């Protein structure tokens, strides 16, 4: 079985995430979306609870392929959960499978900071989405396989949170149903 997995805060999930998920889900047997509860390289916890981020992902993915699953691997973690531990869990759950981790170029350029990176890279392929003009070919990481997909979308969860906090209503890269959920649940300091 060909397993793709895509981790991140998804705080909130946006159309950039959606395009990556659509592209990848058509190229694998199972696509795991893994919302992080506590990312080791971020200085803060996610701004919204895991349950809200999972609900927003469900809303955003409602018309997508059936091979997509939102994972609970990280839902109860109160301390950093490292990718190598998640990978061990995925490998246990899906024996005799191949694994591809999906990353944005910004995360790819930080791989050297990841705990047990050699264990991760020796067990997966990488699919990197080039964004923000980061030259991923300059990143000195040895791996089994690396595929780079150029991807042009000016979306970031940080930018969306800022727009919501400042009462912007026309947020182009956010699903309108996700936006309504954010307003209803008063996430991201909605005024």
């Amino acid at each position: 079985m060909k397993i793709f997995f895509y981790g991140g805060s998804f705080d909130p999930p946006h159309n950039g995430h959606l395009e990556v998920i659509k592209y990848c889900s058509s190229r694998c047997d199972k696509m795991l979306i893994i919302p992080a509860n506590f990312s080791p390289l971020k200085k803060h916890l996610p701004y919204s609870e895991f349950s809200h981020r999972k609900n927003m992902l469900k809303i955003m993915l409602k018309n997508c392929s059936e091979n997509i699953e939102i994972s609970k691997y990280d839902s109860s973690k109160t301390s950093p959960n490292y990718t190598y531990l998640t990978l061990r869990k995925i490998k246990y759950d899906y024996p005799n499978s191949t694994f591809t981790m999906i990353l944005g170029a910004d995360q790819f350029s930080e791989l050297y900071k990841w705990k047990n990176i050699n264990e991760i890279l020796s067990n997966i392929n990488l699919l990197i989405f080039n964004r923000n003009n980061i030259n991923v070919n300059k990143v000195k990481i040895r791996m089994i396989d690396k595929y780079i997909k150029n991807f042009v979308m000016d979306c970031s969860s940080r930018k969306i949170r800022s727009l919501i906090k400042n009462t912007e209503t026309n947020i182009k890269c956010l699903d309108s149903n996700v936006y309504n959920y954010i307003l209803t649940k008063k996430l991201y300091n909605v005024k």
Side-chain angles (χ1 to χ4, degrees):
M1 185 181 286
K2 190 187 285 188
I3 309 288
F4 281 24
F5 64 100
Y6 185 24
S9 297
F10 304 105
D11 196 18
H14 53 66
N15 293 345
H17 296 130
L18 181 60
E19 291 305 311
V20 168
I21 292 166
K22 283 181 178 178
Y23 177 87
C24 293
S25 65
S26 67
R27 288 159 172 75
C28 63
D29 299 307
K30 180 169 268 312
M31 171 95 186
L32 297 172
I33 311 300
I34 307 173
N37 211 28
F38 192 129
S39 179
L41 295 181
K42 292 198 175 174
K43 296 176 181 156
H44 56 79
L45 289 169
Y47 293 92
S48 59
E49 294 174 12
F50 182 90
S51 61
H52 288 307
R53 291 179 289 124
K54 183 178 178 186
N55 289 339
M56 289 186 283
L57 279 164
K58 282 183 182 177
I59 291 166
M60 185 179 77
L61 299 172
K62 71 177 178 260
N63 296 318
C64 289
S65 174
E66 292 183 10
N67 69 337
I68 299 170
E69 177 183 322
I70 302 168
S71 167
K72 297 179 187 174
Y73 288 144
D74 209 14
S75 64
S76 61
K77 303 286 183 187
T78 55
S79 61
N81 186 37
Y82 297 98
T83 300
Y84 80 93
L85 296 172
T86 300
L87 179 58
R88 287 179 185 176
K89 175 75 171 129
I90 295 170
K91 286 180 67 175
Y92 178 82
D93 289 348
Y94 299 97
N96 304 314
S97 296
T98 61
F99 305 95
T100 298
M101 182 169 64
I102 300 155
L103 288 174
D106 52 337
Q107 287 297 312
F108 178 65
S109 66
E110 300 281 307
L111 272 183
Y112 70 94
K113 296 178 182 177
W114 291 24
K115 189 166 187 156
N116 292 350
I117 189 59
N118 291 330
E119 177 182 341
I120 296 168
L121 295 177
S122 65
N123 284 285
I124 62 163
N125 297 313
L126 284 176
L127 176 52
I128 301 125
F129 284 82
N130 214 0
R131 60 184 275 210
N132 301 334
N133 299 320
I134 296 171
N135 186 349
V136 297
N137 291 313
K138 288 186 176 179
V139 178
K140 306 250 186 280
I141 296 283
R142 294 179 62 201
M143 64 197 69
I144 299 169
D145 188 23
K146 171 178 75 172
Y147 175 73
I148 301 166
K149 167 93 174 117
N150 284 321
F151 185 69
V152 180
M153 186 168 284
D154 186 22
C155 268
S156 81
S157 295
R158 178 184 299 134
K159 186 175 180 179
I160 291 169
R161 288 191 305 266
S162 176
L163 291 170
I164 290 169
K165 188 175 180 179
N166 292 314
T167 65
E168 270 300 317
T169 56
N170 185 18
I171 303 172
K172 295 176 186 172
C173 61
L174 187 62
D175 178 283
S176 61
N177 293 313
V178 170
Y179 181 69
N180 289 334
Y181 181 90
I182 290 168
L183 292 179
T184 302
K185 300 297 182 181
K186 298 186 180 348
L187 303 178
Y188 312 118
N189 298 319
V190 170
K191 294 180 182 179

